[in-house]
Each structure stands twice: as C-alpha cells, then as structure tokens.
Amino acid sequence: MELQLLISAVNQDPAKLAEKMNIRCDGILINQCSHFGYEEIEREGHRIRVYSLREKGVGLSRNNALLRADRDICLFSDEDIVYEDDYPEKVIGEFEKHPQADMLLFNVEVCKSRRTYHIDSFGRVRLYNCGRYPAYSFALRREVMHRKNLSFSLLFGGGARYSNGEDSLFIRDCIKKGMRVYKTPVTIGREQERESTWFSGYHKKFFFDRGVLYVHLYGRLAKLMALQFLFRHRAVMCREIPMKKAFKIMCDGIREAES
C-alpha cells in the first residue's frame, strides 16, 4: 500500500512547507493564495503535487485534494502538522494490522489548551462518539472514500459561513455511508502552536455557529446535545456569556438551521 498526504494550506512556500512538515510520502498540497498555478516538488524521493488556487475555505481545499487523490491510503493534513520520521510505516502498518478498517483515526499531539481528543486504546468509532476528532487525524482507504462519494461541507470550517465543524460532519457521513471507522493509539506527529484561523473566543458567533452545526449533526436532538455541551464545558466556555444566555444563542442557531 502507498500513502498520500492531502494538505490544506494558506499562502505557503511549498518547498519550505514540505521541509517543515517532514513530508516522507507522496502528497497533494492545496495552497490557498492569490494566484492559480501548478507545480511539482520532490522530497525524500517522493512527489508532491502543488495546486495554487485563489478559492478560499478549508472544506473546499480538502475537496480539491480529495478529487485528485490516487494512492491507496489518504491522510488529511494541515500546514501546522510536523510528522515523525516513521509516520508512513506507522499508518500503513495499522491498515495492514486491521484490514477490516476503512478509516483509522490517529493521535497527533497538540498543546493542552487546544486538545480535543486523545486516543488511549484501539476501538470502533460510532455516531455517538465521532464529534471530537480533527481532520488531521483521519486516514482512509482512497478507493472506499471515492466509491462512497464523500466530500467536506462547504458551509462549515475556516473561510466558510459557519466557523467550524466540517471535520465532524465528514466523519459522520463516513459512518452513515457504512464505512468502518476505528481509532488507534498510534501517534504520527504533533501540531505546531499558532493562532487559530477560526477560533477567537467564546462569543456570540461561536455559540450561534455551534447551534447550526448541531442541527446538521444531531437533527431533532440538537437542543438536548447543545445543553449537554454547555453543561459539560460551562467552567471554561461560559465565563463571559452565562450558560443560560449561551443556550439561547445556540437555540437561535438551531432555529436558523431548521428554517
């Protein structure tokens, strides 16, 4: 099996980025910038195809990479991920070890303040526990992914109307379309600390957008899941906006998505 990185980036020098990320497999880099162009660069004997596009949006950039993917296993990535030297062997090895898996979620280390997940043991991922994994943890069998006609939402994520959630919607769609998704405690890299491209605080837009997202994720259970979300994270998220008001704002987002 062959591994291919599908990288979403903004205004990057491709050669410098490949060096910084420690890329050691073939890749497709979608560089969101001010011009259109195509080039190929080589690193460690591997080919990285670089598409410079003026369209912005993380979901759109991931879809552009996904449409061009042509290797056995695809690993989604962002420009701030630095990979371990042996990450290709780790990813391929896990798929060989678990032939039943269509998709595997890997550990990528992040600073504690930004951590949304950590995988401690191998296991199945279901609809009820799929919402906390970032796209850069996703590795999938390309043939299955294309056969299921999967793509990322253009409504959610950096550069889109609503600020985040495209990764949660993608993994939900994978499961709903019958893909067998598993998590594995194998670590393949780390995230370099930087200012978030979408998160600017627990303000009105954060809660409103989260309400919209929950309709797409949970349907009629959106309000219940919103209340559960706020209660669980109230100590951190409800310092400036009280929990009662934050829930009202999320309900406003829910109503917009349902209308």
Side-chain angles (χ1 to χ4, degrees):
M1 286 189 285
E2 292 182 291
L3 179 65
Q4 188 172 50
L5 273 184
L6 306 183
I7 310 156
S8 176
V10 179
N11 294 321
Q12 293 292 317
D13 179 302
K16 290 181 180 178
L17 182 63
E19 185 74 21
K20 183 184 78 171
M21 294 178 66
N22 192 30
I23 294 177
R24 293 172 179 261
C25 65
D26 285 358
I28 297 174
L29 168 60
I30 305 298
N31 194 22
Q32 303 164 74
C33 56
S34 60
H35 65 277
F36 290 103
Y38 175 78
E39 62 178 306
E40 294 184 4
I41 60 176
E42 184 177 309
R43 186 178 190 277
E44 301 287 334
H46 298 286
R47 182 176 67 137
I48 303 169
R49 293 146 54 195
V50 181
Y51 295 86
S52 297
L53 301 174
R54 294 177 67 178
E55 297 93 350
K56 298 296 176 65
V58 66
L60 182 59
S61 68
R62 294 203 198 284
N63 288 341
N64 275 316
L66 180 55
L67 288 169
R68 295 167 171 84
D70 57 4
R71 296 294 187 266
D72 303 296
I73 304 297
C74 294
L75 175 63
F76 288 103
S77 185
D78 291 331
E79 64 187 55
D80 55 353
I81 306 300
V82 178
Y83 289 99
E84 298 182 353
D85 289 346
D86 59 348
Y87 77 93
E89 291 79 13
K90 285 183 174 181
V91 173
I92 295 298
E94 283 299 293
F95 275 97
E96 290 176 341
K97 185 178 177 182
H98 305 287
Q100 78 278 18
D102 298 314
M103 178 178 184
L104 287 172
L105 310 180
F106 289 85
N107 275 326
V108 175
E109 296 296 335
V110 301
C111 65
K112 189 175 181 180
S113 62
R114 283 175 51 82
R115 184 181 299 163
T116 61
Y117 82 108
H118 185 78
I119 302 168
D120 296 313
S121 60
F122 185 84
R124 189 77 179 262
V125 177
R126 307 286 187 176
L127 284 173
Y128 62 83
N129 66 350
C130 71
R132 59 199 178 101
Y133 299 98
Y136 54 72
S137 70
F138 300 174
L140 304 92
R141 296 187 191 272
R142 190 264 312 163
E143 184 180 354
V144 177
M145 190 164 45
H146 281 170
R147 189 170 68 244
K148 299 289 186 180
N149 196 28
L150 289 159
S151 62
F152 282 84
S153 171
L154 302 184
L155 267 180
F156 296 88
R161 180 174 180 177
Y162 303 111
S163 53
N164 76 313
E166 79 290 346
D167 38 15
S168 298
L169 291 169
F170 183 83
I171 193 171
R172 179 210 61 178
D173 289 346
C174 289
I175 295 171
K176 280 193 168 185
K177 290 192 174 186
M179 292 184 69
R180 294 161 295 185
V181 182
Y182 294 84
K183 57 186 177 71
T184 177
V186 175
T187 298
I188 58 174
R190 60 181 173 83
E191 181 190 54
Q192 285 191 321
E193 288 191 51
R194 63 167 182 167
E195 185 176 348
S196 174
T197 57
W198 69 268
F199 180 74
S200 56
Y202 300 110
H203 42 53
K204 182 177 179 180
K205 180 170 173 56
F206 172 87
F207 293 114
F208 186 90
D209 290 359
R210 180 71 55 162
V212 175
L213 174 64
Y214 274 25
V215 172
H216 290 260
L217 281 175
Y218 304 117
R220 289 179 295 179
L221 295 176
K223 287 186 179 180
L224 178 63
M225 297 303 291
L227 192 61
Q228 181 191 63
F229 169 76
L230 289 172
F231 184 78
R232 188 188 311 133
H233 301 289
R234 64 192 184 282
V236 174
M237 295 185 179
C238 298
R239 292 173 180 170
E240 296 184 15
I241 298 179
M243 180 177 164
K244 184 176 180 180
K245 185 176 181 180
F247 181 65
K248 181 180 181 301
I249 296 170
M250 288 189 73
C251 288
D252 290 340
I254 290 170
R255 280 192 294 273
E256 175 168 301
E258 290 176 337
S259 63

